Amino acid sequence: GAGVSQTPSNKVTEKGKYVELRCDPISGHTALYWYRQSLGQGPEFLIYFQGTGAADDSGLPNDRFFAVRPEGSVSTLKIQRTERGDSAVYLCASSLTRGLSHNEQFFGPGTRLTVL
Amino acid sequence: QKEVEQNSGPLSVPEGAIASLNCTYSDRGSQSFFWYRQYSGKSPELIMFIYSNGDKEDGRFTAQLNKASQYVSLLIRDSQPSDSATYLCAVNNYKLSFGAGTTVTVRA
């Protein structure tokens, strides 16, 4: 079956612009996560959805970042007034449920965001 | 102190040797631990998880967990050039907390 998909694969924007990054999780996966990975670092947690609601948004760096998952499937990460420091690979992951302590999270290919 | 720390790399091993990767974590209440492999320009892929003290073997990979020492390791036996990648240790508290990764190069 299809894995996690993310669009676009690459996004180049100018400082101050608004961007949207899309994630389509594996069908039937109720849990969805966004991470951000900077060069030479491991992924850093941003936000977690269980169904339609954001269960934990403690990783969002500031109020320029917002994410939605209105129908409990596709999610969109929105970044307002982009800054050069937002440049990174944004990874989306999904899992069947958060109930199991060792539930596997499957990662999408990521969106490479470059803010000029 | 970072939540998850990995031994600094890069690690270079000859083909056929054992690669040893180490990871320590700060949250004593953590229950499960993942090892992900990430090839350059690709997303992380899960290779092993462990949640009980002791060893867990899967093919050429062995994960070791010592909760008292807050220590997780990964051994790669009979290393192959295709094992060349960055290995990420992650602590799973429903959200994953990753280390910075250790880059392994297997020399043919």
Side-chain angles (χ1 to χ4, degrees):
Chain A
V4 178
S5 62
Q6 292 185 245
T7 54
S9 55
N10 278 284
K11 177 69 177 179
V12 180
T13 191
E14 294 180 342
K15 180 175 179 293
K17 299 290 189 182
Y18 167 83
V19 297
E20 290 189 352
L21 311 180
R22 176 189 165 105
C23 172
D24 200 341
I26 293 172
S27 178
H29 280 194
T30 59
L32 184 146
Y33 309 79
W34 283 99
Y35 295 86
R36 177 170 71 173
Q37 187 172 25
S38 301
L39 194 62
Q41 299 298 315
E44 173 191 22
F45 170 77
L46 295 176
I47 187 170
Y48 154 63
F49 288 90
Q50 182 62 42
T52 60
D56 183 348
D57 64 358
S58 62
L60 295 178
N62 52 59
D63 60 7
R64 295 187 297 106
F65 288 75
F66 189 71
V68 295
R69 195 186 185 198
E71 298 178 357
S73 179
V74 171
S75 176
T76 304
L77 178 66
K78 308 180 181 195
I79 310 174
Q80 297 178 320
R81 304 183 304 280
T82 51
E83 299 178 356
R84 292 192 180 88
D86 299 335
S87 297
V89 175
Y90 288 80
L91 294 164
C92 176
S94 70
S95 67
L96 270 174
T97 177
R98 67 149 286 190
L100 296 174
S101 64
H102 48 272
N103 56 309
E104 179 176 359
Q105 293 184 24
F106 295 85
F107 283 84
T111 294
R112 181 175 298 277
L113 175 66
T114 303
V115 182
L116 301 177
Chain B
Q1 181 189 7
K2 288 187 178 179
E3 201 169 336
V4 181
E5 301 213 41
Q6 296 186 237
N7 53 320
S8 59
L11 179 65
S12 180
V13 298
E15 186 173 356
I18 295 175
S20 177
L21 306 170
N22 302 317
C23 174
T24 57
Y25 60 94
S26 60
D27 183 355
R28 186 171 287 279
S30 299
Q31 294 297 314
S32 63
F33 308 87
F34 291 176
W35 283 99
Y36 280 84
R37 177 176 61 200
Q38 187 172 29
Y39 292 113
S40 181
K42 302 295 185 183
S43 57
E45 57 176 327
L46 183 68
I47 51 174
M48 287 198 74
F49 70 84
I50 186 167
Y51 53 90
S52 297
N53 276 327
D55 295 358
K56 179 182 179 182
E57 188 173 315
D58 184 0
R60 297 185 295 109
F61 298 95
T62 299
Q64 299 172 317
L65 174 60
N66 183 326
K67 290 186 179 179
S69 300
Q70 295 173 241
Y71 173 89
V72 191
S73 68
L74 181 71
L75 298 177
I76 308 173
R77 291 184 303 281
D78 187 24
S79 296
Q80 302 297 308
S82 60
D83 295 327
S84 298
T86 295
Y87 290 80
L88 297 162
C89 172
V91 174
N92 182 22
N93 292 309
Y94 78 82
K95 60 188 178 185
L96 298 176
S97 298
F98 286 89
T102 300
T103 298
V104 174
T105 301
V106 180
R107 309 186 304 271

